[in-house]
Amino acid sequence: MSRRSEQKQAEREDRLAEEQSFGELGGGPVLFGPDVFGSQTSGKKSAQAKATSDTKRGGRQKAPAKPREPYVPARGWQGAGGGRVGYMDPPTMWRATTVQACGMWPFAAGSGSPMTGVPLGQHLFTGATVCGDPLNWFTRARYISNPSLFMLGMPGLGKSTLINRMLIGLAATGVVPLVLGDLKPDYADTVRALGGQVISIGRGRGGINVLDPGAMGEAAAKIGGEAGEVLKAEAHGRVLNMVAALITIVRGRPMDDHEQSVLSAVLHHLRERTLPGRTVLLPDVLRVLTEGPARVRAVTLDRGDDSRYRDAVDPLHRSLLGILDGPLGDTFASETSTRIDSNASAVCIDISGIGEADTQLTAAAMLAAWSDGLGTVAASHALADAGLAPRRWFFTVLDELWRPLRAASGIVDRIDALTRLNRSLGLGDAKITHTLKDAEALGTDADRAKARGFVERAGMVVCAGLPKTEMVDLGKVVGLSRREIELVSSWSSPPGWGVRGEDEEPPGRGRFLIKVGGRPGIPIKVAITDAERELHNTNTRWTTNEAAIEQAAARAAADVARAAQEGPIPLGFPGDPAPLGVPGDPGFSAVEASAGGWTG
């Protein structure tokens, strides 16, 4: 029905309502409408005249009719000056709890925005509060079948800020945030503010002993029995895979199968002969390979021939030397600088000290951080299963996904396994990158297919501002409508040329579209608090230090004032007659004397 037809229908309904109202009051049908005092302008008799005539005819007087009240149509009177309203705006809807708005119940109306999880922001169109996070939408609301989030967006639009809000909200409910490889860093200050643990990894900052079973070894000792032995075996497999991953990074290709057997035998040999309280180091592995005990020789099939043994272990020996003395430096050569505290409220492994161009060390540190962190998660669940600790949930964050994906193929496999098994691990995760094209830049077709699967398996997909071509490609995966594509594409526009001042920001900053399955997207606007703004500033290198500038200006002014008090310094060369200053002369300063007679 057109707008004109709707207006005519409303006018007819108003006229019928007027006639019905005055008909009930005894005035008969209204042909031209009453005035404000209830008098009639038609040829019909009033209610009082009708009552008088009835009395004369029948001799019996009827009860007087009720006084008529002025009637105003819902949309106003028709005609000039009547105040007719053609369209009425719907009222704004607000949300409140039954405690805050108990007097309005049941007249408060709700909207379709989800209210389960961390408060994220307001609906962009209705203003209603929107809440959500992967863990609560998986466990409580049952909106998603996989507790994972994948976020895409152009730089500088607030992706990390939204994840920081989720970290703060989840930590308040007892969930343990794990940032296993903070590359900028974006989350270290937030973790400190939450009372968590921040571990720095890099050359001269700290290292990780990849042979240390860590929390899994401690949990196995506490549990004991058959369950403890199972956990020890799992810790051994995790250590073996970590060393194999480091060798793969150094070589640029995977290890051979017989080399993995040799390495496993060496690790078993060291674990059996290492005293309690001492951990095994990578130099110990080199020592065992040099000695060649019987258990290790049996795996190499040397048959008593020393040359056959050396031919079998020398490639592995060279790769381990490359880990200790090569591009990875001493990061993995000594004891773990700081172990992950299994009781910490939040954990952040900061690898921002590693240079941008040092891709091998970045990949190795990322793999070591993920191995250590996921080992802590496995140990926590093992203790909970044995009744020795309360059950805890974890939420991992992998920001700047494109960097670890390009560093080494081993990380793609590890993240791929995590996205498939996080439901059984009691673990939610958030992965953040810029565009889907980051996956297309990987080296092999297999890695590219695995990276594209991250988006397809994600329970929640959150989009910040993206170009329209990128949104069209993403729509083929998550099912975006034309209106949603246009909306998110508009957020990628920069501010106008005439914008000045630090308070101005791009139009898409803080705006996100949340997509879950085939449901319509939820556009939200996130407004951060002052505390969040202080904790999370990704442009610290571009921030002016006003205090340092003022101190430098004060020092310069003091130098100028001191020079003015000392007077001009004569210019010349040694050996010239006066007016050159000479030692003992008041114009000859100590600086000139130390310069060998040069003045300036």
Side-chain angles (χ1 to χ4, degrees):
M1 183 181 294
S2 64
R3 179 61 61 85
R4 183 64 177 173
S5 301
E6 292 179 356
Q7 186 173 0
K8 290 182 177 180
Q9 178 68 21
E11 293 174 356
R12 286 194 297 268
E13 292 177 356
D14 289 343
R15 285 197 296 268
L16 291 175
E18 295 172 16
E19 296 175 0
Q20 182 179 2
S21 174
F22 282 96
E24 292 175 353
L25 294 175
V30 179
L31 301 182
F32 300 100
D35 58 17
V36 294
F37 299 103
S39 63
Q40 294 181 349
T41 58
S42 67
K44 296 294 182 179
K45 293 187 296 182
S46 65
Q48 184 177 2
K50 185 178 180 182
T52 303
S53 62
D54 290 344
T55 303
K56 292 179 179 179
R57 286 196 304 266
R60 186 174 53 185
Q61 185 177 1
K62 293 184 178 180
K66 294 186 297 183
R68 291 172 295 179
E69 297 179 358
Y71 171 77
V72 179
R75 295 176 181 268
W77 298 106
Q78 300 184 38
R84 178 72 179 180
V85 177
Y87 176 76
M88 298 179 64
D89 291 331
T92 304
M93 294 185 181
W94 302 89
R95 271 185 188 271
T97 65
T98 54
V99 176
Q100 296 168 326
C102 54
M104 297 177 63
W105 183 262
F107 304 106
S111 65
S113 301
M115 290 292 291
T116 303
V118 177
L120 301 179
Q122 289 182 308
H123 197 285
L124 198 60
F125 301 138
T126 66
T129 303
V130 178
C131 303
D133 61 81
L135 272 74
N136 283 292
W137 280 17
F138 174 73
T139 57
R140 295 172 55 196
R142 303 291 182 180
Y143 293 152
I144 57 179
S145 59
N146 189 15
S148 62
L149 179 149
F150 197 95
M151 181 179 293
L152 302 99
M154 301 295 289
L157 296 182
K159 301 185 299 298
S160 303
T161 303
L162 182 62
I163 298 300
N164 254 299
R165 173 162 293 186
M166 289 188 183
L167 292 186
I168 296 172
L170 288 172
T173 62
V175 177
V176 182
L178 299 176
V179 186
L180 303 177
D182 195 354
L183 292 160
K184 286 187 178 178
D186 285 337
Y187 307 95
D189 291 339
T190 301
V191 170
R192 291 190 185 97
L194 294 173
Q197 181 185 29
V198 178
I199 303 172
S200 297
I201 302 297
R203 294 189 178 95
R205 296 172 177 265
I208 296 179
N209 178 18
V210 295
L211 303 183
D212 186 358
M216 295 186 71
E218 296 177 357
K222 288 182 180 180
I223 296 173
E226 183 178 356
E229 293 299 323
V230 171
L231 197 58
K232 286 182 181 178
E234 185 178 350
H236 172 80
R238 190 177 296 273
V239 169
L240 178 62
N241 292 333
M242 186 61 229
V243 178
L246 292 182
I247 293 175
T248 300
I249 292 174
V250 172
R251 288 183 179 180
R253 61 177 181 84
M255 290 179 61
D256 296 331
D257 55 349
H258 70 276
E259 290 179 323
Q260 295 189 31
S261 301
V262 172
L263 182 60
S264 178
V266 171
L267 294 177
H268 279 299
H269 176 83
L270 287 171
R271 190 181 66 177
E272 293 171 356
R273 287 163 176 76
T274 301
L275 297 176
R278 183 182 179 277
T279 56
V280 181
L281 303 175
L282 281 178
D284 297 332
V285 177
L286 293 176
R287 177 177 53 81
V288 172
L289 289 177
T290 302
E291 295 173 356
R295 181 167 186 171
V296 178
R297 286 180 175 270
V299 178
T300 62
L301 301 178
D302 66 330
R303 296 182 176 86
D305 189 349
D306 193 64
S307 62
R308 288 171 60 91
Y309 172 75
R310 293 302 168 190
D311 292 339
V313 301
D314 280 352
L316 178 61
H317 200 150
R318 284 192 293 269
S319 297
L320 291 173
L321 288 174
I323 295 176
L324 297 176
D325 301 325
L328 303 185
D330 58 351
T331 307
F332 307 101
S334 58
E335 294 280 356
T336 300
S337 56
T338 305
R339 280 189 173 185
I340 294 179
D341 183 5
S342 57
N343 296 319
S345 58
V347 177
C348 174
I349 299 181
D350 181 8
I351 61 174
S352 60
I354 302 175
E356 293 281 343
D358 203 345
T359 56
Q360 286 189 333
L361 183 56
T362 299
M366 184 72 71
L367 282 172
W370 276 83
S371 179
D372 198 10
L374 296 182
T376 302
V377 173
S380 176
H381 290 315
L383 290 173
D385 294 338
L388 301 177
R391 180 75 63 188
R392 306 178 79 190
W393 292 346
F394 299 86
F395 181 63
T396 61
V397 177
L398 181 56
D399 202 346
E400 300 294 334
L401 182 64
W402 62 273
R403 284 192 62 186
L405 287 181
R406 296 181 187 180
S409 60
I411 294 184
V412 179
D413 294 328
R414 186 169 294 275
I415 300 174
D416 179 68
L418 175 65
T419 58
R420 298 174 186 272
L421 301 175
N422 52 357
R423 288 186 302 170
S424 59
L425 293 176
L427 185 71
D429 69 275
K431 294 176 285 295
I432 311 171
T433 189
H434 295 150
T435 67
L436 286 177
K437 294 181 176 61
D438 294 334
E440 301 299 329
L442 299 180
T444 63
D445 293 337
D447 287 347
R448 286 192 288 269
K450 293 172 186 175
R452 285 192 297 267
F454 298 159
V455 185
E456 297 172 353
R457 289 191 300 273
M460 299 172 59
V461 177
V462 181
C463 304
L466 286 169
K468 189 171 184 178
T469 55
E470 180 69 22
M471 291 299 300
V472 171
D473 295 338
L474 182 62
K476 299 176 182 178
V477 180
V478 299
L480 296 170
S481 66
R482 181 175 58 86
R483 175 59 182 147
E484 291 171 342
I485 292 175
E486 294 175 353
L487 178 64
V488 178
S489 300
S490 67
W491 297 341
S492 61
S493 303
W497 291 109
V499 172
R500 298 184 63 184
E502 61 180 11
D503 294 335
E504 300 294 340
E505 58 184 25
R509 180 171 295 174
R511 289 171 168 81
F512 304 93
L513 180 71
I514 303 176
K515 287 289 293 184
V516 174
R519 294 186 176 95
I522 304 174
I524 64 172
K525 167 65 176 176
V526 179
I528 62 175
T529 62
D530 292 338
E532 289 175 305
R533 188 175 291 106
E534 293 176 1
L535 290 175
H536 186 69
N537 182 9
T538 57
N539 297 325
T540 53
R541 297 293 176 89
W542 295 93
T543 303
T544 303
N545 191 340
E546 300 293 344
I549 292 177
E550 292 178 359
Q551 292 175 4
R555 287 194 300 267
D559 293 341
V560 172
R562 185 170 58 253
Q565 293 176 359
E566 293 176 355
I569 300 176
L571 300 175
F573 294 92
D576 289 346
L580 270 181
V582 294
D585 189 12
F588 192 84
S589 65
V591 177
E592 295 169 346
S594 64
W598 289 84
T599 60

